[in-house]
Amino acid sequence: MPTEQENIENWRKIAIPFVQHLGIDIARMAEGRCELRLDVRPEHLNSFGVLHGGAIMTLLDVSLAGAARSVQPDMGVVTIEMKTTFMQPARGPVSGHGRLMHRTGRMAFVEGTLEDAEGRVCAHATGTFKYMPRAESTPTD
């Protein structure tokens, strides 16, 4: 099983331009768990002045994927399905927490939450991910 530091280093090497554009950063990734953080900027907001649902879903999607990958970082994962429930408005900074619930040789079943700075759960997601061989990618600047 890879160490948390190895997982974090591997995650940072993978080029995911949209995630980098949003400013999502990794806090932890080990043993079926992943925590990502986002400092909310004005361009992340909706017309009500709170974090846009698309940004919430992206943070959750990547957190869930990170939890699945944390136990097998040599493989990539692709989202097969994801269900998100929005519970209350999210204001920044926020964190996404993914937890691997079950896995088979090819599939991962994951759940996660998005929390605000006070630890309030603002959204919950469940997802199914498929493990895929990772093609070599080049980090972007």
Side-chain angles (χ1 to χ4, degrees), residues 6-22:
E6 290 169 335
N7 276 335
I8 289 172
E9 289 171 9
N10 287 333
W11 189 87
R12 287 195 169 130
K13 290 178 187 175
I14 297 171
I16 310 173
F18 186 60
V19 170
Q20 293 166 337
H21 173 74
L22 289 175

Side-chain angles (χ1 to χ4, degrees), residues 73-133:
D74 60 317
M75 297 290 278
V77 294
V78 295
T79 309
I80 300 300
E81 65 84 29
M82 184 171 139
K83 177 190 182 297
T84 305
T85 303
F86 300 94
M87 299 174 178
Q88 60 182 321
R91 294 174 177 84
V94 294
S95 57
H97 303 265
R99 180 176 70 93
L100 179 63
M101 297 170 57
H102 178 73
R103 72 163 289 185
T104 67
R106 295 185 179 154
M107 304 294 278
F109 303 89
V110 192
E111 72 169 356
T113 56
L114 180 126
E115 298 177 5
D116 66 13
E118 285 75 43
R120 291 184 294 249
V121 175
C122 300
H124 177 264
T126 57
T128 306
F129 292 79
K130 182 176 181 181
Y131 287 99
M132 303 286 289

